[in-house]
Structure formats: structure tokens, C-alpha cells
């Protein structure tokens, strides 16, 4: 949707199979979640991403696996669909790459507008741990590529600084901030898990896995 890719798509299988309408993945990247979801459900997945290069990788991956993806270049903040979706999901903490609460609110509102009544929106995000941040701040790691991790706690920001100076940033949010976004978008929480095996969310969880629903009424 951190852990093996299989855990992510297994958690999505039930809502994907129950979906009576289009399936949509935001920030589809190279299709590493969408392809298994499409294969497991036999359904076409609409994939949205800003990067033409990542969409091309997803196209190649889907062709190799013999599944159908409907790939669209676009900004998730401007999501529009011809037909209301039954399930929209955003894996790999991709919502954290939106820098402001206003950006996220825009996504939630666009998703809510794109869902059919009873349709679901699912995503995962980091549950921030200051102890982990203190341990890893400034450390260099080799995977997935050599980089140094830096935490800007005052800005809720994590920077992955590559050896060539390029930086990839993400911004974490609290549980209450996610709940506020759900509320302003008019969605309802169906489930909150602490991981991709469907384990309960507790005060010790380090991952939010949300499943929300547009009210059927």
C-alpha cells in the first residue's frame, strides 16, 4: 500500500473484489501494487501519476504480466473521472509527498467527489516516532539508493538527500490531522489498521492504514 509488496495488495483484495465500479490508484508509479491487484481481481485499474517515465514502467510491467491498466498522466489534486469510482487507493505513503494540509484537503475533496455512494478511499501513511527520528537523523543508508536521512521536526518533514545532492521530501501528519481531512471531505472511517496484515491500530503502531467510505445516503 513498508513491508513486502504482497502485504499491501492483499489488504486491498477484498475491497477491490467487492467494488462495483472502477478501481483507481493514485501515484501508481511503476505499477507494483496495481498489477497484483488487477491480476488478483481480474479488473482493470485506472492509474494516475505525474511522471511519464513511471507510467511507461507501469505500462511495461502490466504488459509483461498480461493485465490491463488504464494509465493517465495527471495530478491527484485535480482528479476527475468519467465514471464514479468504487475504490480509490493511494499506497506507499504517497500522500505524504504533498507538502501542505491544503494540498491534501484538495485530494480528499476530489476523491470524495469521484467516488460513488458507498465507494471507498484507502491509503497508508507514517505514524511518526520521535525516537526513530533521533536515531536515524543524519545517518547514511545504501538502500534503495545511497542517501542520508534528515528530519525537520518543526516542518513535519523528512528529507532523503542523495549523494548527488538531489532531495526527496515527505511530510508526515498526525492521526487527528488525517481524521480532520476525512471529516471535511465528508467521508467516514470504515477501518484503521496498524499494518498491512490488518492488525489493530494501537498507540504503539508506526503505520496508519486507513479505509474510508463515502456515505451511501
Amino acid at each position: 500500500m513498508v513491508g513486502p509488496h504482497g502485504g499491501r495488495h492483499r489488504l486491498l483484495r477484498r475491497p477491490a473484489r467487492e467494488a462495483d465500479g472502477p478501481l483507481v490508484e493514485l501515484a501508481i508509479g511503476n505499477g507494483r501494487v496495481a498489477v497484483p491487484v488487477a491480476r488478483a481481481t481480474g479488473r482493470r485499474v485506472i492509474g494516475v501519476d505525474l511522471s511519464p517515465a513511471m507510467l511507461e514502467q507501469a505500462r511495461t510491467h502490466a504488459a509483461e504480466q498480461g493485465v490491463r491498466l488504464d494509465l493517465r498522466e495527471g495530478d491527484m489534486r485535480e482528479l476527475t473521472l468519467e465514471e464514479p469510482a468504487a475504490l480509490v487507493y493511494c499506497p506507499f505513503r504517497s500522500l505524504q509527498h504533498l507538502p501542505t494540509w491544503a494540498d491534501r484537503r484538495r485530494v480528499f475533496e476530489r476523491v470524495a467527489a469521484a467516488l460513488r455512494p458507498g465507494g471507498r478511499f484507502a491509503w497508508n501513511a507514517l505514524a511518526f516516532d520521535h525516537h526513530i527520528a533521533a536515531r536515524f537523523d543524519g545517518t547514511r543508508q545504501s538502500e534503495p539508493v545511497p542517501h542520508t536521512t534528515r528530519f525537520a521536526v518543526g516542518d513535519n518533514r523528512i528529507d532523503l538527500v542523495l549523494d548527488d545532492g538531489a532531495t526527496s521530501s515527505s511530510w508526515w501528519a498526525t492521526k487527528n490531522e488525517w481524521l480532520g481531512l476525512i471529516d471535511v471531505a465528508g467521508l467516514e472511517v470504515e477501518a484503521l489498521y496498524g499494518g498491512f496484515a490488518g492488525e489493530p491500530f494501537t498507540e504503539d503502531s508506526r503505520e496508519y492504514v486507513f479505509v474510508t467510505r463515502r456515505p451511501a445516503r
Side-chain angles (χ1 to χ4, degrees):
M1 209 169 85
V2 211
H5 301 342
R8 298 180 183 90
H9 71 75
R10 276 196 299 271
L11 195 62
L12 289 166
R13 282 181 185 174
R14 182 179 63 84
R17 285 176 174 147
E18 292 176 355
D20 182 20
L23 311 178
V24 181
E25 181 174 329
L26 304 181
I28 192 172
N30 65 5
R32 56 184 168 171
V33 172
V35 167
V37 168
R39 188 170 55 231
T41 62
R43 306 282 296 280
R44 176 176 60 97
V45 177
I46 298 170
V48 179
D49 204 286
L50 272 174
S51 169
M54 296 307 292
L55 290 172
E56 188 57 37
Q57 289 185 36
R59 187 172 291 108
T60 300
H61 187 192
E64 291 171 347
Q65 298 298 316
V67 301
R68 296 175 60 209
L69 298 181
D70 179 352
L71 299 172
R72 306 181 184 187
E73 183 180 347
D75 188 329
M76 69 174 77
R77 290 168 290 191
E78 304 299 332
L79 177 69
T80 56
L81 299 172
E82 302 83 12
E83 179 185 354
L87 171 65
V88 178
Y89 64 94
C90 188
F92 291 105
R93 301 175 177 170
S94 294
L95 289 174
Q96 292 182 211
H97 291 293
L98 298 169
T100 71
W101 194 85
D103 288 320
R104 294 174 188 167
R105 175 174 180 170
R106 177 68 174 170
V107 171
F108 275 64
E109 290 175 338
R110 296 305 300 169
V111 168
L115 286 172
R116 60 178 49 191
R120 293 180 172 109
F121 179 34
W123 74 95
N124 71 301
L126 169 76
F128 182 70
D129 186 326
H130 287 78
H131 300 290
I132 292 176
R135 188 162 70 248
F136 284 98
D137 186 35
T139 62
R140 187 175 183 278
Q141 297 172 302
S142 59
E143 298 294 335
V145 294
H147 68 277
T148 300
T149 303
R150 301 195 182 280
F151 291 83
V153 176
D155 194 35
N156 287 16
R157 193 181 78 245
I158 304 170
D159 295 329
L160 302 184
V161 184
L162 305 185
D163 288 0
D164 63 4
T167 301
S168 174
S169 298
S170 64
W171 289 261
W172 68 84
T174 66
K175 178 183 174 184
N176 280 340
E177 287 173 313
W178 291 119
L179 291 174
L181 289 162
I182 293 165
D183 183 59
V184 298
L187 300 172
E188 298 175 346
V189 177
E190 180 176 291
L192 171 57
Y193 303 109
F196 301 106
E199 54 266 55
F201 184 85
T202 72
E203 63 182 20
D204 296 318
S205 297
R206 294 298 173 260
E207 195 81 23
Y208 302 112
V209 182
F210 276 99
V211 180
T212 64
R213 184 188 290 269
R214 178 179 171 178
R217 57 186 180 277

